[in-house]
Amino acid sequence: MPELPEVETERRYLNAGARHRRVVGVRAPHPDVLLDTSAVALGRRLKGHRIESTRRHGKYLFAGFDNGAWLAMHFGMTGTLRCYRHDLPVPDYAAVLFLLEDGRDLAYLSRRRLGRISLVDSPDELIAQRRLGPDALSIGSIAFCDLITGGRGAVKARLMDQARIAGIGNEYSDEILFRAGVHPARPVTGLSKEEVGRLHRSMRAVLRKAIALRADPEKYPASWLMANRRRNGSCPVCGGAISTTTVSGRTGYFCPRCQPRHGKRDNRA
DNA sequence: CTCCATGTTTAGAA
DNA sequence: CTTCTAAACATGGA
């Protein structure tokens, strides 16, 4: 569950399920997801304290405790949070468990264990240390224009560059480009003012809508690329065949008719 | 068995 | 310095 909408959905889930509850213990069935810390160290710092607030920046989720400690979570490709009753079996793929008072526990689940959990003094510390750019949803049209057109390279790579825009990954970059009618391999130099504007509006619309739908792809509009984002898929708008291209070592899915390689096209977003 | 997968980091090449 | 590519990480699904 890794991109901005999924992480924001996890943040709300964390708020609803664990906020204001006291941590009574920490276990790490798979300590390899712990970065520069351990179950013992986490317990020492968090035991007896409550999650007071939550924050998200890009794909990172932060839980702020009443003693000033901040837990930073990244989900890699397969991470998710799960609140469950203490008397029930530990969920599959539980990598770290936060035992909470009132018999509710919080599990950080991860199949591939590519995500990481660490302890920091503040979200800003991690943001600086990881060199993250501004959160995608905080970027206004002027700043977006500078971020997207500065430098060179493919526009899809730029949307996914966490140092420039934090929060967008492979799937949502495809959705944003599709909605904006921009080919993923278009060089950022050469994008028109109009196209940059469409990309900005598309980015905001896609991310906000996905969050509103709790990042549940089943609920996404039929006009979105998402459900057709596969080999042999067809475009939900024009019915043409979906193509793929490799950008930044990732597979980008797009509609060659709605997202022409060379310029020109007016449309929604 | 092979290929691919929502992500990031790192090393080495352009 | 910036950007790109391949590999690594660990695991499961097609």
Side-chain angles (χ1 to χ4, degrees):
Chain A
M1 305 214 84
E3 300 180 46
L4 187 153
E6 285 81 12
V7 179
E8 177 62 21
T9 302
E10 294 293 356
R11 189 185 71 77
R12 295 176 183 191
Y13 180 80
L14 182 62
N15 261 349
R19 195 176 173 198
H20 303 317
R21 286 201 167 78
R22 203 183 299 271
V23 171
V24 297
V26 179
R27 305 280 180 271
H30 286 288
D32 47 330
V33 304
L34 299 177
L35 184 63
D36 298 327
T37 187
S38 65
V40 170
L42 285 174
R44 203 152 41 214
R45 188 88 172 97
L46 304 180
K47 208 182 290 185
H49 297 284
R50 300 183 165 94
I51 295 177
E52 206 165 55
S53 61
T54 58
R55 275 191 54 187
R56 182 192 56 72
H57 186 99
K59 302 173 187 175
Y60 282 85
L61 174 59
F62 302 93
F65 286 79
D66 60 20
N67 63 346
W70 285 88
L71 195 62
M73 292 173 271
H74 189 279
F75 296 98
M77 281 182 158
T78 58
T80 187
L81 296 177
R82 176 80 52 77
C83 293
Y84 66 103
R85 282 174 40 202
H86 184 74
D87 54 315
L88 294 179
V90 172
D92 288 343
Y93 307 112
V96 180
L97 305 173
F98 298 92
L99 313 183
L100 308 176
E101 62 185 349
D102 300 337
R104 300 285 302 179
D105 291 350
L106 173 70
Y108 170 94
L109 313 179
S110 185
R111 289 173 192 262
R112 289 171 64 179
R113 303 200 299 283
L114 294 176
R116 291 293 178 264
I117 291 180
S118 58
L119 212 43
V120 294
D121 290 331
S122 73
D124 286 346
E125 174 193 315
L126 183 141
I127 290 166
Q129 182 225 334
R130 297 279 112 187
R131 297 192 159 72
L132 299 178
D135 183 75
L137 281 176
S138 75
I139 301 172
S141 58
I142 309 291
F144 181 81
C145 186
D146 293 342
L147 288 166
I148 214 77
T149 58
R152 36 199 170 81
V155 61
K156 177 176 168 63
R158 181 56 48 92
L159 285 171
M160 293 191 295
D161 181 353
Q162 303 303 303
R164 285 203 158 87
I165 299 175
I168 299 168
N170 200 23
E171 286 192 322
Y172 288 96
S173 67
D174 280 352
E175 194 66 53
I176 290 162
L177 290 161
F178 176 71
R179 187 189 182 95
V182 174
H183 190 292
R186 288 278 303 283
V188 295
T189 54
L191 289 174
S192 68
K193 200 89 181 168
E194 180 52 38
E195 287 171 321
V196 173
R198 286 214 306 270
L199 283 167
H200 182 242
R201 289 189 296 276
S202 173
M203 174 179 81
R204 295 188 62 82
V206 165
L207 297 177
R208 298 194 76 81
K209 184 68 173 177
I211 290 169
L213 297 174
R214 296 172 168 249
D216 180 355
E218 306 253 302
K219 300 199 183 76
Y220 288 175
S223 60
W224 279 26
L225 175 66
M226 206 64 85
N228 308 277
R229 189 182 174 284
R230 59 175 187 277
R231 293 175 201 279
N232 300 317
S234 54
C235 174
V237 171
C238 78
I242 293 299
S243 297
T244 62
T245 181
T246 300
V247 172
S248 289
R250 316 297 301 281
T251 302
Y253 293 79
F254 68 103
C255 170
R257 202 183 312 177
C258 299
Q259 299 163 266
R261 184 68 181 78
H262 293 291
K264 285 291 99 68
R265 155 154 185 284
D266 50 347
N267 102 61
R268 60 230 140 154

